[in-house]
Amino acid sequence: MIKIAALACANGLGHVRRVVAISTFILKNGFNGSIDLFIPYCHVMTLKNWPDMNFVINSSQVKIINFEYPLRSQAKITNYFDHNWLQIDIPNLQMYDIVWSDNIVNILESRPDTTFTGSFFWHEVLGNKKETVHLGEFFKEQRDIIKSYKPLMIGNEYFSTPDVRTLTEFFPVGLYRYSLLFKEKKNHDILFSCGLGGEEDNIARAAISEIIAKDIQSPQTLYVDPRLLPNSYPDWIKKADFSNEMFLNCVATCIRPGMGTISDALIGRSKIFAFCNEDSFEMIHNCNVLEKMNLGARYTSPLEAYLGAIKFISTAGAIDKQILRTTHLRTDGVFATANLLLDRE
């Protein structure tokens, strides 16, 4: 019986979502082995109502083991460069037939045959930040490990970064579709969110305050990340639940463009109005790809992104053009990754 170990980076929810979605697909398609998921319990609880997470929680073939890397700062709101990137307690992985890591490079030192998923490496994202200059030697070691082992890396065809493409045995796949829901676009809703990185929280929260104070109304509903909302807000604003239904109702998303939200937005056939800090490598990279593919644009601030979304919705034919572009994107990420993982046995 094949035994799989899957370890997911704890920074944000995207890594855990990807690992859980692929594991669910594998299990639902005749796999009769076992999967040990090394993921943070806190993320399990956050996602417990998501059907795929609910499935793995209740599967007799799955064991969920609390594992967190990087270790989070004790502060209530932190940036990812505040986390503890140097300390990692790698479990004994020798008993497994397949070891799969979503963005945790150190696993290679104990299992050189590890298969990776992800579209960037942390040394690319954090290596040039002034806040992480003290980690310079660590990031060099991370890059050297990847160059030395040259692992199979399954990453997104459109958004994978230069080191993912050149330092690994790179295999491109499509966007990760986490739902089969599909419906005609009838609503003209907007999503406003800044992810869990913590870097743009303050400017995003200030933008929402200004939108409310100046009554800059969305054409229909404005969904807002609950963390950014004040205690009271107008009835044309609703708390974002990040469900598939919500993304299908939105035609525009104002976001800090992390890969998970990008995938949800594009699969929901929404245009992306992005904002991020100047020194955010991953976000700038993703913005450049969005602009090159004419799927979105970067704005100077969250407020400007929101105003851009409103203008887009009011422009004749713009929504139909975005639907046309996004409908033709490759979306086989879950299927293709699952097949590649099992082929490694």
Side-chain angles (χ1 to χ4, degrees):
M1 186 174 74
I2 297 172
K3 293 173 65 77
I4 298 175
L7 303 94
C9 177
N11 193 71
L13 293 174
H15 308 282
V16 171
R17 284 181 73 208
R18 180 161 52 230
V19 165
V20 169
I22 295 164
S23 297
T24 298
F25 182 89
I26 289 171
L27 291 164
K28 287 184 175 181
N29 281 273
F31 178 70
N32 56 13
S34 65
I35 303 177
D36 286 358
L37 295 177
F38 293 85
I39 57 179
Y41 281 161
C42 60
H43 288 4
V44 174
M45 296 310 296
T46 299
L47 296 168
K48 64 182 179 181
N49 293 324
W50 175 37
D52 284 5
M53 181 63 82
N54 186 263
F55 178 85
V56 299
I57 288 172
N58 292 291
S59 173
S60 61
Q61 295 171 258
V62 175
K63 182 179 180 181
I64 296 177
I65 300 158
N66 189 33
F67 176 80
E68 187 173 335
Y69 179 79
L71 293 171
R72 289 171 296 168
S73 163
Q74 295 303 307
K76 186 175 181 181
I77 297 176
T78 64
N79 297 308
Y80 49 48
F81 42 75
D82 292 327
H83 298 337
N84 183 348
W85 293 92
L86 298 178
Q87 183 179 341
I88 182 170
D89 185 13
I90 300 174
N92 182 356
L93 301 172
Q94 300 312 310
M95 69 188 78
Y96 297 99
D97 302 294
I98 297 172
V99 177
W100 161 25
S101 172
D102 199 292
N103 249 12
I104 305 175
V105 170
N106 308 69
I107 308 302
L108 281 168
E109 294 181 297
S110 60
R111 283 294 298 257
D113 59 341
T114 298
T115 298
F116 279 77
T117 49
S119 296
F120 65 88
F121 287 119
W122 286 111
H123 71 259
E124 296 177 281
V125 174
L126 298 175
N128 295 317
K129 281 183 170 291
K130 62 182 184 296
E131 295 91 346
T132 58
V133 66
H134 62 291
L135 296 174
E137 187 59 31
F138 167 72
F139 292 132
K140 180 181 181 302
E141 289 173 359
Q142 293 267 295
R143 195 171 193 271
D144 288 345
I145 289 170
I146 298 162
K147 289 175 68 176
S148 175
Y149 290 101
K150 202 173 179 64
L152 173 65
M153 180 77 169
I154 307 169
N156 182 258
E157 176 179 344
Y158 309 116
F159 292 92
S160 289
T161 56
D163 276 7
V164 167
R165 296 175 186 274
T166 60
L167 300 185
T168 71
E169 183 185 341
F170 176 62
F171 195 98
V173 298
L175 297 169
Y176 288 89
R177 178 184 287 278
Y178 297 138
S179 170
L180 298 180
L181 285 177
F182 192 85
K183 67 178 185 179
E184 182 183 353
K185 285 283 189 186
K186 293 183 179 179
N187 293 27
H188 288 173
D189 298 341
I190 297 174
L191 168 65
F192 189 105
S193 175
C194 66
L196 297 177
E199 289 190 277
E200 288 85 4
D201 279 10
N202 290 336
I203 59 172
R205 195 171 284 109
I208 289 298
S209 295
E210 187 171 352
I211 288 167
I212 292 172
K214 294 182 177 179
D215 196 33
I216 310 174
Q217 293 193 28
S218 167
Q220 291 185 12
T221 299
L222 173 61
Y223 291 103
V224 177
D225 184 333
R227 296 180 304 113
L228 305 178
L229 284 172
N231 291 330
S232 60
Y233 45 89
D235 58 9
W236 47 272
I237 291 179
K238 293 182 180 178
K239 289 183 179 180
D241 62 5
F242 300 98
S243 64
N244 297 307
E245 186 75 20
M246 185 203 74
F247 278 104
L248 288 172
N249 285 336
C250 292
V251 292
T253 55
C254 305
I255 58 171
R256 177 181 182 272
M259 194 62 236
T261 318
I262 284 177
S263 289
D264 288 332
L266 294 180
I267 285 171
R269 295 167 294 155
S270 178
K271 186 149 188 172
I272 296 174
F273 298 80
F275 56 88
C276 63
N277 292 337
E278 290 292 336
D279 63 347
S280 183
F281 170 85
E282 179 200 359
M283 302 301 123
I284 297 293
H285 169 80
N286 289 345
C287 286
N288 290 338
V289 175
L290 288 168
E291 290 182 338
K292 182 178 179 180
M293 298 180 69
N294 203 13
L295 296 169
R298 182 184 173 215
Y299 287 78
T300 56
S301 71
L303 179 60
E304 289 301 316
Y306 176 64
L307 295 175
I310 292 175
K311 182 178 179 181
F312 161 73
I313 291 172
S314 66
T315 302
I319 294 173
D320 288 341
K321 288 180 181 178
Q322 184 68 3
I323 290 172
L324 175 65
R325 295 186 195 104
T326 52
T327 299
H328 289 278
L329 292 173
R330 183 181 175 188
T331 60
D332 68 340
V334 171
F335 172 83
T337 303
N339 285 344
L340 279 166
L341 281 167
L342 295 179
D343 282 346
R344 297 284 280 182
E345 196 275 323

